[in-house]
Amino acid sequence: MMNYVSVPRGLLLSGAFLTAFTLNAAAQQATDPPVAAPPPSTAPAAGAPPPAGTAASPTLPPGSPLIGRPAGNDAAAKLAPIAPPPIPAAPDKLPIAKLKVPAGFNIEVYAAGMANARSLALGDKGTVFVGSRLVDKVYAIVNKDGKREVKVLVSGLYRPNGVAFKDGTLYIAELSKISKIEKVEDNLDNPPKPTVIFDKLPKDEAHGWKFIAIGPDNKLYAPVGQPGNNVLNDDEHGLIRRMNLDGSGAEVIVRGVRHTVGFDWHPETKQLYFTDNGRDWMSEDVPEDELNRITKVGEHFGAPFCLQGNIVDPEFGWGKSCSEYTAPVGLLGPHSAALGMRFYTGNMFPKAYKNVAIIARHGSWNRTKKIGGDVVIAKLNKDGTMKSMEPFLTGFLEDNKYIGRPVDVLQMKDGSLLVSDDYNGAVYRITYGKPKMAGK
Amino acid sequence: MRKTMTMLAFALIAATANAEPIEQRIAPCLACHGENGQSQTENTPSLGGQQAPYTLIQLFMFREKLRTFEPMNEMAKPLTDDDLRLFSDFIAKMPKPAPPGENVDPARMQRGQALVQQHRCDTCHNPDLSGKENVPRIANQREDYLAKTLTEYKDNSRHGYDASMADVMAPIAADQIADLAHYIAHVR
């Protein structure tokens, strides 16, 4: 992608080696650009910082996470998105001993060494596919003769957060395109290049990474986030789209979605439930992240006009009412970054877990006292709304610092549950019953 | 020639791998990046006082070819995870670069300072632009390198680790980049 510079600069640098070796430091000649022409008047009034606290602040780009940050507030000035370490934690450095699950459950390391491990998908033959966001890789955790092995399945991808699997084919969602690898489990050592099936997607970095999944209707569902913290969207943003598995027949099914990074279909009603991340910088405690349910095509879930179903946005909500939008079926905590969610349909966990939504909360950055960094269980009422939310996997948050951050959950065929952690580049497995069984 | 020199650098690193103390292993790096933390080489950044988490990310990205610059990709290729940490930690302890005293243009300094405030560079890079954690020290970095880097962030030819700089640079014009670089390079 940057090949155009490498030759001349390579030469330059090699030259620099020579000069350095010959103790000639003359390379330092002033490289001051010629005195710049007076700037065009695009620069707003020099000197004073812009008035902050408004989402419409013209001096910050739409994608900046700093939009809306109140000025002159020391507590707010300390908050910024948290970058994970680039190198995956060594297996013996994983925080496994600090992680807590309810009585009767066990947790173990399933696989490690996958930098920035994010979304999960399960192949027919037991291969677990793992996407990433900050690196260029999709990994495969392969089970071979009772031994697990991590392979880099594909490199050179751009923010390949989303993975989904159906009938032998792996689907990968990068920032602005979706591609597939057929018969992937037969070619894990030497997979063919992914074939693009859909690329009519915007390239915004902010909330541009994607979760994907394939529904009971055999269509691929792919969202596009809102391109910034709190911004008005055009028709290409803030939505969920579905398409045939070859990329044809794409249609937008819902709007008003700020950024969903996890969804699944209810095992009985087959309705699509999705998590959605609420906006930042409004306050420490609101809005909360949402659990939503699609009941019909064409629904609008409120962003950026109505937040958490009952707050009209201070900037964009004027003239709007929350009654115009579909309200969430549950709230998942302020700034908690609810990401991956799946319904539990397995037989391993106790009966009380049947059909509950298991939700990975990545954990807040836009809050002084951090919240989330856990996996929670959301139980539903008969009408499909959320009845309760309770902790399931905790311990990632220590002294208001993360020692790990869960991203996605995935039920295995035996009913055990995988949890990915992009902070440590690992996947854990949660089982129920005597630990001996877990090793099987 | 380029290849030869790259290979020479590579050979130096490889030959000194592990057995040698860090001071010797890092010598080939400093041939370009400068002794005492201050680069004398065109378009090549000063390393002194750089935030270790930032350097670690950059070395990782060079090794994984997520950041593309062939000599650095070659240099980083044989490094282990522990090597990356070792180099990052050592670099952080090198003396920070000093501001160049000559050729300071007061008008450009003023415009650059206004831009820093306007675009809130100081929020993440700290009020003194010394950086924190994965956000780099930029104070007194080489002006040519700053201008080049900001331009590459703006056109997204240099992908940051988390893309925030692409967003930040979107509304900043080319001539403003020159002023920004001038100010940041000379800030005291």
Side-chain angles (χ1 to χ4, degrees):
Chain A
M1 64 203 129
M2 286 179 53
N3 290 337
Y4 73 98
V5 291
S6 58
V7 169
R9 269 204 275 153
L11 273 169
L12 221 167
L13 200 79
S14 312
F17 263 112
L18 263 187
T19 51
F21 288 145
T22 52
L23 298 178
N24 178 349
Q28 194 211 357
Q29 278 334 304
T31 48
D32 272 9
V35 176
S41 57
T42 51
T54 74
S57 178
T59 52
L60 278 170
S64 170
L66 298 182
I67 282 185
R69 185 176 63 98
N73 183 307
D74 290 346
K78 284 183 187 142
L79 303 177
I82 299 153
I87 297 168
D92 62 336
K93 297 269 166 59
L94 288 167
I96 191 81
K98 294 177 173 172
L99 302 182
K100 294 179 195 72
V101 284
F105 287 89
N106 320 289
I107 184 161
E108 63 181 340
V109 176
Y110 186 73
M114 298 162 286
N116 201 237
R118 296 273 299 181
S119 303
L120 302 169
L122 179 61
D124 290 336
K125 297 177 182 170
T127 310
V128 175
F129 299 96
V130 186
S132 66
R133 174 161 84 86
L134 299 177
V135 298
D136 60 346
K137 293 173 175 53
V138 169
Y139 309 93
I141 308 171
V142 183
N143 280 299
K144 212 170 163 185
D145 309 325
K147 276 182 74 179
R148 275 192 295 274
E149 189 189 337
V150 172
K151 291 176 192 297
V152 172
L153 186 75
V154 196
S155 316
L157 302 171
Y158 195 60
R159 310 214 183 280
N161 185 76
V163 284
F165 183 95
K166 181 84 182 183
D167 297 334
T169 301
L170 176 70
Y171 299 83
I172 300 171
E174 295 175 73
L175 185 81
S176 63
K177 64 184 176 197
I178 299 166
S179 50
K180 66 173 180 180
I181 302 175
E182 292 178 354
K183 298 193 179 113
V184 63
E185 286 185 292
D186 301 333
N187 297 290
L188 291 169
D189 288 318
N190 196 12
K193 281 205 148 184
T195 317
V196 174
I197 61 166
F198 191 81
D199 61 1
K200 290 191 264 312
L201 291 163
K203 294 190 164 63
D204 306 85
E205 293 277 4
H207 303 158
W209 60 96
K210 291 173 177 45
F211 177 92
I212 53 169
I214 293 157
D217 55 1
N218 213 30
K219 287 177 188 285
L220 187 144
Y221 285 67
V224 179
Q226 179 177 289
N229 172 30
N230 200 38
V231 289
L232 289 172
N233 305 311
D234 61 15
D235 284 351
E236 292 302 312
H237 294 87
L239 55 83
I240 300 176
R241 188 183 261 121
R242 71 180 169 203
M243 64 189 74
N244 299 321
L245 296 184
D246 61 0
S248 66
E251 57 170 339
V252 174
I253 53 164
V254 292
R255 297 187 180 277
V257 180
R258 185 173 173 277
H259 192 198
T260 177
V261 198
F263 42 82
D264 195 13
W265 288 261
H266 190 280
E268 284 168 3
T269 66
K270 306 295 179 200
Q271 287 172 326
L272 178 63
Y273 281 70
F274 66 92
T275 58
D276 197 10
N277 283 245
R279 62 162 288 194
D280 299 315
W281 295 125
M282 190 170 142
S283 78
E284 295 263 2
D285 294 334
V286 288
E288 296 198 35
D289 287 3
E290 304 170 355
L291 179 63
N292 289 296
R293 171 183 55 169
I294 299 176
T295 54
K296 58 177 189 289
V297 168
E299 279 179 301
H300 192 295
F301 286 86
F305 311 108
C306 170
L307 318 168
Q308 68 164 52
N310 56 11
I311 301 173
V312 285
D313 185 79
E315 306 299 329
F316 297 123
W318 293 98
K320 311 279 185 187
S321 160
C322 278
S323 63
E324 299 166 45
Y325 309 103
T326 304
V329 295
L331 299 182
L332 303 173
H335 310 294
S336 66
L339 305 184
M341 66 146 289
R342 318 264 180 175
F343 287 102
Y344 185 77
T345 59
N347 293 319
M348 181 188 278
F349 292 2
K351 275 215 172 84
Y353 288 85
K354 187 175 155 66
N355 294 352
V356 300
I358 305 180
I359 302 170
R361 302 195 304 175
H362 199 224
S364 64
W365 64 263
N366 191 225
R367 196 169 194 275
T368 300
K369 188 174 187 307
K370 291 190 173 63
I371 191 173
D374 57 14
V375 175
V376 296
I377 298 289
K379 290 181 175 161
L380 302 182
N381 293 308
K382 281 224 170 73
D383 66 1
T385 56
M386 193 171 97
K387 182 166 127 194
S388 64
M389 180 172 78
E390 55 197 70
F392 183 61
L393 167 60
T394 57
F396 288 109
L397 192 49
E398 197 177 69
D399 300 331
N400 212 31
K401 281 195 173 141
Y402 295 111
I403 56 173
R405 297 184 86 186
V407 176
D408 199 9
V409 292
L410 178 71
Q411 183 188 311
M412 300 294 278
K413 280 186 189 130
D414 64 359
S416 62
L417 185 83
L418 300 188
V419 179
S420 62
D421 170 2
D422 66 349
Y423 199 84
N424 291 304
V427 171
Y428 312 103
R429 182 163 81 139
I430 299 175
T431 55
Y432 183 77
K434 284 184 187 151
K436 227 171 76 185
M437 283 178 55
K440 257 190 188 174
Chain B
M1 149 102 161
R2 169 178 57 88
K3 202 134 207 163
T4 317
M5 293 316 297
T6 306
M7 289 314 291
L8 173 54
F10 173 75
L12 275 168
I13 284 244
T16 56
N18 297 326
E20 305 288 337
I22 176 69
E23 289 81 1
Q24 285 178 34
R25 295 186 66 195
I26 206 165
C29 310
L30 304 188
C32 284
H33 287 283
E35 305 286 343
N36 300 319
Q38 187 127 21
S39 164
Q40 311 289 338
T41 313
E42 208 173 30
N43 282 325
T44 303
S46 298
L47 301 181
Q50 190 50 277
Q51 301 289 338
Y54 170 79
T55 309
L56 182 65
I57 288 171
Q58 300 311 309
L59 288 173
F60 172 81
M61 291 182 78
F62 278 129
R63 188 183 70 181
E64 306 294 318
K65 296 194 175 165
L66 296 169
R67 180 178 170 188
T68 322
F69 181 54
E70 204 182 307
M72 281 305 299
N73 297 131
E74 286 297 321
M75 297 281 271
K77 207 174 183 174
L79 300 180
T80 66
D81 288 354
D82 284 342
D83 287 338
L84 300 188
R85 293 191 188 95
L86 186 69
F87 279 93
S88 306
D89 291 345
F90 185 84
I91 284 166
K93 292 190 194 101
M94 288 166 53
K96 61 188 187 195
E102 66 236 33
N103 298 329
V104 184
D105 177 339
R108 294 179 67 200
M109 289 297 283
Q110 205 177 3
R111 291 199 297 268
Q113 184 174 21
L115 285 163
V116 164
Q117 287 176 5
Q118 183 191 335
H119 296 282
R120 300 185 196 169
C121 310
D122 52 342
T123 300
C124 292
H125 289 275
N126 265 4
D128 63 355
L129 305 182
S130 61
K132 60 186 170 210
E133 296 287 313
N134 57 302
V135 180
R137 164 186 293 278
I138 51 175
N140 308 135
Q141 185 51 272
R142 286 183 60 91
E143 183 172 340
D144 55 359
Y145 177 76
L146 285 168
K148 178 174 76 77
T149 304
L150 291 171
T151 305
E152 288 170 356
Y153 275 133
K154 184 174 168 61
D155 67 16
N156 213 15
S157 60
R158 174 168 168 186
H159 301 308
Y161 190 47
D162 64 1
S164 47
M165 279 303 294
D167 289 331
V168 170
M169 291 308 294
I172 301 180
D175 55 342
Q176 293 179 317
I177 287 179
D179 288 341
L180 264 177
H182 187 74
Y183 171 74
I184 296 168
H186 294 88
V187 68
R188 281 176 186 271

